Amino acid sequence: MTHQQLVARSVAAVITASVGFGASTAYAEEQVTDDENTVVITASRFKEESVRLPTNITIISKEDIERSNATQVVQLLKRVAGIQISSVSGKTTVSMRGISAEQASNNVLIQVDGRRLNYTDIAAPDLESVLVSDIERIEIIQGAASTLYGDQAVAGVINIITHSGKNKESNASLTGGSYGTAQANLNLNHALNQDWSFLLSANYLETDNYRDHNEREQSQLALKFHYLTEMSDWLFEFNTNHEDLDTPGALLEPDLSEPTQSRPEFANDYVNTQQDVLRVFGQETIDNNWKYAIDVNYLDSDIDSINSFVGFPTTTVNTTDRTQWSVYPRIKGQWQTDSGSIDWTNGVDYDHAEYAFSLLGRSNEQEVKSLYSQLFIPLSKRTDIEVAARYARVEDDLIDLTIYPGGISLKNSATAYDIGVSHQFDRDSRGYVRYSDNYRFAKVDEQSYTADGVIGLEPQTGHSLELGYERGLKYGFLKLSAYRLELDDEIFFDPAATPPPAAFFPGANVNGGRSERIGLMVDYQAELTDDINSGVNYHYVDAEIKRGEPSSQGNSIPGVSEHTANAWIDWQIDSISNGYLEVNYRSDRYQEGDVSNTQPKIASHTVLNSAINWSWEQLTLGIRVDNLLDKEYIDYAQFGGYYPANGRYGYVKLSYRF
């Protein structure tokens, strides 16, 4: 297969994913003719070849991952339109739709194969535990998805799909790079018989990282058994992850002349994590009209840490213990009509979590139960309508040594509704409009530190409206979308709020008034020549506090950049080598938590990343350099505490496929 054919198939696959969602069955079949290159997505929570959800969906393919020579998930997400990335002491948060980094872990749902990475406390999902070598593709739903996914899917969903045992290729790699980075990785796939296969994945990483006192050592092991027949698809998985991370803490403004340093009060700080996951997934085809699926997940996470503050060193060791388990059964019916198929999905989500934090004598047992239904009806061969609804209840049994020493039971409920229309104008273009409700429940940290006199926070609720147009071009595609996201009773930390009695620091978690985000996204990708692919995207968002305290009403939402833009180019230099160059721009924004907009802004920055790969049969040698020009900038800042971004970082990766 020539490179031009590969590019054409890749572009066709992307168009199928991004333009074909609203097409009738006939149109989808015309666009996808090669099963090997079919893009399978899970926006319906079922494995299938086409999904009709009327919203902006982005696919990062396996080929995209390989040609970028990325070793971290964050490297793959940085070039996606509408995503803003922030890093704190080696851990990453991913923001969408004008949500601040401080609130991203509460409002952007991140999953691996349908298993939630988000925790019941405000800790960010651990993207660093996801191995790029394990990823088959990444699916990104931009916009509210509460009816499908429930709590925390306010601004969007990122679903990372990993290899299963049916993948016949095995690989091993060695990586060495800046800051003493060394990594070894193995993915071994083997077919046991016609139906059963297994995958063994192992990884070891050590690095000093960019800043002082930020050493990291990580070891991971995963085992998957996969059963696949014409009617059945079952996956049994176990993985374990151990990580030791020294945390350098924040810097004050005078410290920024030496951005790699760590202040003396953080000399003893660290976070050591042991996390184990068990998962069973099954999907069965009952007959021509019905199929069902079930997801069962269990997570056990134990953390030891020392957490100091600027000016307040400590040597107290804190422990955080989490257990989370979930059961997600669902059933889907499909009936063919002259205009297309009627698709009806119904499901129950059950989540149970236990959490304990030693420092504050804080613990919580949380139970969330949800019912949801989604219906697609073809109004004509070119037009689909989607309606969906969800009802959810949450119960928290909370103990906090300072605020609720005797314990308290908090109960709440929330509903969400969707209605959307998608119209296929012709073979290559479609438009859509979608109205969605969204919600999220307060997390244990937030419920435990509310303003004086407030017992429990109400659910955050919201509404979004999105318009989109997508067109497949002869050598690429164009995607346009505009949205309005409005949140009521938004849950956030307000430094001006009256703290609870016996508080450790000023401020409290509150239900704010109302906030609004109005945004526009443009994404264009093109094959410039037979050997050069390129892309450019832009995101604008006006994020504003519409109603709240007099000191904040009308202000910009802190932590949100009004403008982000990305551009990239991928050049097939010759038959064995390709080069990759990427530029990321992010405009200035107020510091996290600065609802009064009075503190100095975080300056804008532009960063260049580059990679080059050489492939000889099963062997690939890759070099990647991020922050090519060694730009100094701030990735995250809150209340005058600054976290510098990495300087120039490069590595060499040698991979072997067998």
Side-chain angles (χ1 to χ4, degrees), residues 24 55 89 102 133 184 189 191 236 257 262 272 307 318 371 411 415 419 433 483 500 516 567 607 629 631 657:
S24 67
T55 192
S89 301
E102 182 184 20
S133 59
N189 294 275
F236 307 87
S257 58
S262 174
N272 293 345
N307 310 99
N318 309 314
L371 298 170
K411 298 180 180 180
T415 56
I419 183 167
V433 58
Y483 64 87
E516 181 185 70
V607 177
L629 303 181
K631 171 75 173 178
R657 299 183 300 276

PDB file of all heavy atoms in Angstrom, residues 24 55 89 102 133 184 189 191 236 257 262 272 307 318 371 411 415 419 433 483 500 516 567 607 629 631 657:
ATOM      1  N   SER A  24     -27.646   8.634   7.417  1.00  0.00           N
ATOM      2  CA  SER A  24     -28.481   7.438   7.464  1.00  0.00           C
ATOM      3  C   SER A  24     -27.589   6.223   7.289  1.00  0.00           C
ATOM      4  O   SER A  24     -26.432   6.317   6.911  1.00  0.00           O
ATOM      5  CB  SER A  24     -29.521   7.491   6.338  1.00  0.00           C
ATOM      6  OG  SER A  24     -28.874   7.395   5.083  1.00  0.00           O
ATOM      7  N   THR A  55     -23.047  15.926  17.692  1.00  0.00           N
ATOM      8  CA  THR A  55     -22.129  16.802  18.409  1.00  0.00           C
ATOM      9  C   THR A  55     -20.740  16.676  17.798  1.00  0.00           C
ATOM     10  O   THR A  55     -20.515  15.865  16.901  1.00  0.00           O
ATOM     11  CB  THR A  55     -22.101  16.460  19.914  1.00  0.00           C
ATOM     12  OG1 THR A  55     -21.419  17.489  20.627  1.00  0.00           O
ATOM     13  CG2 THR A  55     -21.403  15.134  20.163  1.00  0.00           C
ATOM     14  N   SER A  89       3.347  19.849  38.934  1.00  0.00           N
ATOM     15  CA  SER A  89       4.286  18.893  39.538  1.00  0.00           C
ATOM     16  C   SER A  89       4.274  17.541  38.827  1.00  0.00           C
ATOM     17  O   SER A  89       4.394  16.487  39.455  1.00  0.00           O
ATOM     18  CB  SER A  89       3.980  18.711  41.020  1.00  0.00           C
ATOM     19  OG  SER A  89       4.073  19.930  41.708  1.00  0.00           O
ATOM     20  N   GLU A 102      -8.720  24.235  37.453  1.00  0.00           N
ATOM     21  CA  GLU A 102      -9.099  23.928  38.828  1.00  0.00           C
ATOM     22  C   GLU A 102     -10.354  23.072  38.877  1.00  0.00           C
ATOM     23  O   GLU A 102     -10.509  22.216  39.756  1.00  0.00           O
ATOM     24  CB  GLU A 102      -9.321  25.227  39.604  1.00  0.00           C
ATOM     25  CG  GLU A 102      -9.665  25.029  41.066  1.00  0.00           C
ATOM     26  CD  GLU A 102      -9.974  26.346  41.765  1.00  0.00           C
ATOM     27  OE1 GLU A 102     -10.290  27.341  41.072  1.00  0.00           O
ATOM     28  OE2 GLU A 102      -9.908  26.367  42.997  1.00  0.00           O
ATOM     29  N   SER A 133       1.706   3.346  24.587  1.00  0.00           N
ATOM     30  CA  SER A 133       1.925   2.115  23.818  1.00  0.00           C
ATOM     31  C   SER A 133       0.719   1.182  23.870  1.00  0.00           C
ATOM     32  O   SER A 133       0.577   0.290  23.033  1.00  0.00           O
ATOM     33  CB  SER A 133       3.165   1.389  24.336  1.00  0.00           C
ATOM     34  OG  SER A 133       3.015   1.075  25.711  1.00  0.00           O
ATOM     35  N   ALA A 184      11.224   1.443  29.691  1.00  0.00           N
ATOM     36  CA  ALA A 184      11.171   0.181  28.967  1.00  0.00           C
ATOM     37  C   ALA A 184       9.737  -0.306  28.960  1.00  0.00           C
ATOM     38  O   ALA A 184       9.045  -0.247  29.990  1.00  0.00           O
ATOM     39  CB  ALA A 184      12.081  -0.851  29.632  1.00  0.00           C
ATOM     40  N   ASN A 189       1.022  -9.796  22.579  1.00  0.00           N
ATOM     41  CA  ASN A 189      -0.293 -10.306  22.186  1.00  0.00           C
ATOM     42  C   ASN A 189      -0.146 -11.743  21.698  1.00  0.00           C
ATOM     43  O   ASN A 189       0.800 -12.070  20.982  1.00  0.00           O
ATOM     44  CB  ASN A 189      -0.873  -9.464  21.043  1.00  0.00           C
ATOM     45  CG  ASN A 189      -1.182  -8.047  21.473  1.00  0.00           C
ATOM     46  OD1 ASN A 189      -2.238  -7.769  22.005  1.00  0.00           O
ATOM     47  ND2 ASN A 189      -0.239  -7.135  21.256  1.00  0.00           N
ATOM     48  N   ALA A 191      -2.728 -15.235  20.400  1.00  0.00           N
ATOM     49  CA  ALA A 191      -4.006 -15.911  20.203  1.00  0.00           C
ATOM     50  C   ALA A 191      -3.923 -17.306  20.794  1.00  0.00           C
ATOM     51  O   ALA A 191      -3.070 -18.111  20.408  1.00  0.00           O
ATOM     52  CB  ALA A 191      -4.344 -15.972  18.719  1.00  0.00           C
ATOM     53  N   PHE A 236     -11.658  -9.506  29.983  1.00  0.00           N
ATOM     54  CA  PHE A 236     -11.342  -9.645  31.402  1.00  0.00           C
ATOM     55  C   PHE A 236      -9.963  -9.040  31.627  1.00  0.00           C
ATOM     56  O   PHE A 236      -8.994  -9.440  30.966  1.00  0.00           O
ATOM     57  CB  PHE A 236     -11.356 -11.113  31.810  1.00  0.00           C
ATOM     58  CG  PHE A 236     -12.624 -11.828  31.454  1.00  0.00           C
ATOM     59  CD1 PHE A 236     -12.785 -12.420  30.203  1.00  0.00           C
ATOM     60  CD2 PHE A 236     -13.676 -11.887  32.349  1.00  0.00           C
ATOM     61  CE1 PHE A 236     -13.954 -13.068  29.859  1.00  0.00           C
ATOM     62  CE2 PHE A 236     -14.853 -12.538  32.021  1.00  0.00           C
ATOM     63  CZ  PHE A 236     -15.002 -13.129  30.771  1.00  0.00           C
ATOM     64  N   SER A 257      12.959  33.477  38.505  1.00  0.00           N
ATOM     65  CA  SER A 257      14.219  33.657  37.780  1.00  0.00           C
ATOM     66  C   SER A 257      14.993  32.336  37.673  1.00  0.00           C
ATOM     67  O   SER A 257      15.836  32.168  36.802  1.00  0.00           O
ATOM     68  CB  SER A 257      15.091  34.699  38.486  1.00  0.00           C
ATOM     69  OG  SER A 257      15.347  34.306  39.832  1.00  0.00           O
ATOM     70  N   SER A 262      13.024  24.176  43.614  1.00  0.00           N
ATOM     71  CA  SER A 262      11.933  23.853  44.524  1.00  0.00           C
ATOM     72  C   SER A 262      12.222  24.570  45.837  1.00  0.00           C
ATOM     73  O   SER A 262      13.347  24.551  46.336  1.00  0.00           O
ATOM     74  CB  SER A 262      11.856  22.340  44.760  1.00  0.00           C
ATOM     75  OG  SER A 262      10.893  22.026  45.746  1.00  0.00           O
ATOM     76  N   ASN A 272       3.183   8.912  46.903  1.00  0.00           N
ATOM     77  CA  ASN A 272       3.420   7.527  46.489  1.00  0.00           C
ATOM     78  C   ASN A 272       2.080   6.818  46.352  1.00  0.00           C
ATOM     79  O   ASN A 272       1.251   6.852  47.268  1.00  0.00           O
ATOM     80  CB  ASN A 272       4.283   6.789  47.508  1.00  0.00           C
ATOM     81  CG  ASN A 272       5.707   7.347  47.566  1.00  0.00           C
ATOM     82  OD1 ASN A 272       6.128   8.074  46.669  1.00  0.00           O
ATOM     83  ND2 ASN A 272       6.427   7.011  48.611  1.00  0.00           N
ATOM     84  N   ASN A 307       2.288  16.854  52.228  1.00  0.00           N
ATOM     85  CA  ASN A 307       1.795  17.993  51.456  1.00  0.00           C
ATOM     86  C   ASN A 307       2.016  19.288  52.230  1.00  0.00           C
ATOM     87  O   ASN A 307       1.271  19.594  53.159  1.00  0.00           O
ATOM     88  CB  ASN A 307       0.305  17.825  51.148  1.00  0.00           C
ATOM     89  CG  ASN A 307      -0.024  16.460  50.571  1.00  0.00           C
ATOM     90  OD1 ASN A 307      -0.478  15.577  51.279  1.00  0.00           O
ATOM     91  ND2 ASN A 307       0.220  16.276  49.292  1.00  0.00           N
ATOM     92  N   ASN A 318       0.369  11.814  55.259  1.00  0.00           N
ATOM     93  CA  ASN A 318      -1.065  11.642  55.081  1.00  0.00           C
ATOM     94  C   ASN A 318      -1.343  10.371  54.286  1.00  0.00           C
ATOM     95  O   ASN A 318      -0.557   9.995  53.412  1.00  0.00           O
ATOM     96  CB  ASN A 318      -1.671  12.829  54.342  1.00  0.00           C
ATOM     97  CG  ASN A 318      -1.291  14.154  54.961  1.00  0.00           C
ATOM     98  OD1 ASN A 318      -1.364  14.304  56.177  1.00  0.00           O
ATOM     99  ND2 ASN A 318      -0.866  15.102  54.139  1.00  0.00           N
ATOM    100  N   LEU A 371     -30.645   6.074  35.945  1.00  0.00           N
ATOM    101  CA  LEU A 371     -31.374   5.450  34.848  1.00  0.00           C
ATOM    102  C   LEU A 371     -31.292   6.371  33.637  1.00  0.00           C
ATOM    103  O   LEU A 371     -31.414   7.593  33.780  1.00  0.00           O
ATOM    104  CB  LEU A 371     -32.844   5.241  35.206  1.00  0.00           C
ATOM    105  CG  LEU A 371     -33.184   4.314  36.380  1.00  0.00           C
ATOM    106  CD1 LEU A 371     -34.663   4.459  36.717  1.00  0.00           C
ATOM    107  CD2 LEU A 371     -32.870   2.869  36.032  1.00  0.00           C
ATOM    108  N   LYS A 411     -28.248  13.777  50.713  1.00  0.00           N
ATOM    109  CA  LYS A 411     -28.909  13.161  49.570  1.00  0.00           C
ATOM    110  C   LYS A 411     -29.291  14.226  48.558  1.00  0.00           C
ATOM    111  O   LYS A 411     -29.690  15.328  48.921  1.00  0.00           O
ATOM    112  CB  LYS A 411     -30.153  12.393  50.009  1.00  0.00           C
ATOM    113  CG  LYS A 411     -29.867  11.244  50.960  1.00  0.00           C
ATOM    114  CD  LYS A 411     -31.151  10.521  51.344  1.00  0.00           C
ATOM    115  CE  LYS A 411     -30.867   9.375  52.306  1.00  0.00           C
ATOM    116  NZ  LYS A 411     -32.095   8.643  52.694  1.00  0.00           N
ATOM    117  N   THR A 415     -31.476  15.605  37.061  1.00  0.00           N
ATOM    118  CA  THR A 415     -31.987  15.092  35.798  1.00  0.00           C
ATOM    119  C   THR A 415     -31.273  15.784  34.642  1.00  0.00           C
ATOM    120  O   THR A 415     -30.729  16.886  34.793  1.00  0.00           O
ATOM    121  CB  THR A 415     -33.498  15.340  35.663  1.00  0.00           C
ATOM    122  OG1 THR A 415     -33.756  16.746  35.820  1.00  0.00           O
ATOM    123  CG2 THR A 415     -34.271  14.567  36.708  1.00  0.00           C
ATOM    124  N   ILE A 419     -31.965  16.894  23.269  1.00  0.00           N
ATOM    125  CA  ILE A 419     -32.681  16.787  21.999  1.00  0.00           C
ATOM    126  C   ILE A 419     -31.771  17.357  20.925  1.00  0.00           C
ATOM    127  O   ILE A 419     -31.188  18.433  21.089  1.00  0.00           O
ATOM    128  CB  ILE A 419     -34.052  17.501  22.018  1.00  0.00           C
ATOM    129  CG1 ILE A 419     -34.766  17.288  20.673  1.00  0.00           C
ATOM    130  CG2 ILE A 419     -33.916  18.984  22.359  1.00  0.00           C
ATOM    131  CD1 ILE A 419     -36.232  17.666  20.704  1.00  0.00           C
ATOM    132  N   VAL A 433     -27.738  20.454  15.278  1.00  0.00           N
ATOM    133  CA  VAL A 433     -28.046  21.348  16.381  1.00  0.00           C
ATOM    134  C   VAL A 433     -28.447  20.463  17.550  1.00  0.00           C
ATOM    135  O   VAL A 433     -29.128  19.446  17.380  1.00  0.00           O
ATOM    136  CB  VAL A 433     -29.166  22.354  16.018  1.00  0.00           C
ATOM    137  CG1 VAL A 433     -30.430  21.637  15.606  1.00  0.00           C
ATOM    138  CG2 VAL A 433     -29.431  23.312  17.177  1.00  0.00           C
ATOM    139  N   TYR A 483     -20.999  27.149  20.352  1.00  0.00           N
ATOM    140  CA  TYR A 483     -21.723  26.627  21.500  1.00  0.00           C
ATOM    141  C   TYR A 483     -21.944  27.708  22.551  1.00  0.00           C
ATOM    142  O   TYR A 483     -21.244  28.721  22.597  1.00  0.00           O
ATOM    143  CB  TYR A 483     -20.969  25.452  22.135  1.00  0.00           C
ATOM    144  CG  TYR A 483     -19.625  25.819  22.719  1.00  0.00           C
ATOM    145  CD1 TYR A 483     -19.512  26.283  24.038  1.00  0.00           C
ATOM    146  CD2 TYR A 483     -18.463  25.717  21.967  1.00  0.00           C
ATOM    147  CE1 TYR A 483     -18.284  26.630  24.571  1.00  0.00           C
ATOM    148  CE2 TYR A 483     -17.230  26.050  22.499  1.00  0.00           C
ATOM    149  CZ  TYR A 483     -17.147  26.506  23.805  1.00  0.00           C
ATOM    150  OH  TYR A 483     -15.939  26.861  24.331  1.00  0.00           O
ATOM    151  N   PRO A 500     -15.801  27.626  57.082  1.00  0.00           N
ATOM    152  CA  PRO A 500     -16.488  26.921  58.169  1.00  0.00           C
ATOM    153  C   PRO A 500     -15.744  27.106  59.491  1.00  0.00           C
ATOM    154  O   PRO A 500     -14.581  27.535  59.500  1.00  0.00           O
ATOM    155  CB  PRO A 500     -16.444  25.455  57.706  1.00  0.00           C
ATOM    156  CG  PRO A 500     -15.257  25.380  56.799  1.00  0.00           C
ATOM    157  CD  PRO A 500     -15.195  26.699  56.108  1.00  0.00           C
ATOM    158  N   GLU A 516     -21.372  31.641  32.243  1.00  0.00           N
ATOM    159  CA  GLU A 516     -21.710  31.409  30.833  1.00  0.00           C
ATOM    160  C   GLU A 516     -20.429  31.347  30.016  1.00  0.00           C
ATOM    161  O   GLU A 516     -19.499  32.121  30.222  1.00  0.00           O
ATOM    162  CB  GLU A 516     -22.602  32.541  30.315  1.00  0.00           C
ATOM    163  CG  GLU A 516     -23.021  32.379  28.864  1.00  0.00           C
ATOM    164  CD  GLU A 516     -23.803  33.574  28.372  1.00  0.00           C
ATOM    165  OE1 GLU A 516     -23.185  34.663  28.209  1.00  0.00           O
ATOM    166  OE2 GLU A 516     -25.024  33.446  28.162  1.00  0.00           O
ATOM    167  N   ALA A 567      -1.372  24.182  15.141  1.00  0.00           N
ATOM    168  CA  ALA A 567      -1.107  23.842  13.747  1.00  0.00           C
ATOM    169  C   ALA A 567      -0.055  22.740  13.724  1.00  0.00           C
ATOM    170  O   ALA A 567       0.820  22.693  14.589  1.00  0.00           O
ATOM    171  CB  ALA A 567      -0.626  25.061  12.966  1.00  0.00           C
ATOM    172  N   VAL A 607       4.452  27.354  21.839  1.00  0.00           N
ATOM    173  CA  VAL A 607       5.410  26.271  22.013  1.00  0.00           C
ATOM    174  C   VAL A 607       5.489  25.454  20.733  1.00  0.00           C
ATOM    175  O   VAL A 607       4.462  25.168  20.096  1.00  0.00           O
ATOM    176  CB  VAL A 607       5.020  25.376  23.199  1.00  0.00           C
ATOM    177  CG1 VAL A 607       5.985  24.206  23.333  1.00  0.00           C
ATOM    178  CG2 VAL A 607       5.001  26.180  24.493  1.00  0.00           C
ATOM    179  N   LEU A 629      12.110  25.476  21.294  1.00  0.00           N
ATOM    180  CA  LEU A 629      12.815  26.745  21.475  1.00  0.00           C
ATOM    181  C   LEU A 629      13.090  27.052  22.940  1.00  0.00           C
ATOM    182  O   LEU A 629      13.536  28.150  23.270  1.00  0.00           O
ATOM    183  CB  LEU A 629      12.007  27.885  20.840  1.00  0.00           C
ATOM    184  CG  LEU A 629      11.688  27.728  19.343  1.00  0.00           C
ATOM    185  CD1 LEU A 629      10.913  28.934  18.846  1.00  0.00           C
ATOM    186  CD2 LEU A 629      12.960  27.522  18.528  1.00  0.00           C
ATOM    187  N   LYS A 631      11.126  27.587  25.543  1.00  0.00           N
ATOM    188  CA  LYS A 631      10.318  28.697  26.027  1.00  0.00           C
ATOM    189  C   LYS A 631      10.041  28.545  27.528  1.00  0.00           C
ATOM    190  O   LYS A 631       9.630  27.487  27.988  1.00  0.00           O
ATOM    191  CB  LYS A 631       8.989  28.733  25.259  1.00  0.00           C
ATOM    192  CG  LYS A 631       7.957  29.706  25.786  1.00  0.00           C
ATOM    193  CD  LYS A 631       8.296  31.131  25.432  1.00  0.00           C
ATOM    194  CE  LYS A 631       7.165  32.068  25.829  1.00  0.00           C
ATOM    195  NZ  LYS A 631       7.477  33.482  25.544  1.00  0.00           N
ATOM    196  N   ARG A 657       8.510  -4.301  16.492  1.00  0.00           N
ATOM    197  CA  ARG A 657       7.229  -4.986  16.346  1.00  0.00           C
ATOM    198  C   ARG A 657       7.469  -6.433  15.939  1.00  0.00           C
ATOM    199  O   ARG A 657       8.298  -6.709  15.066  1.00  0.00           O
ATOM    200  CB  ARG A 657       6.356  -4.286  15.290  1.00  0.00           C
ATOM    201  CG  ARG A 657       6.017  -2.847  15.619  1.00  0.00           C
ATOM    202  CD  ARG A 657       5.088  -2.238  14.583  1.00  0.00           C
ATOM    203  NE  ARG A 657       5.684  -2.247  13.254  1.00  0.00           N
ATOM    204  CZ  ARG A 657       6.512  -1.321  12.808  1.00  0.00           C
ATOM    205  NH1 ARG A 657       6.858  -0.306  13.586  1.00  0.00           N
ATOM    206  NH2 ARG A 657       7.004  -1.390  11.583  1.00  0.00           N
TER     207      ARG A 657
END
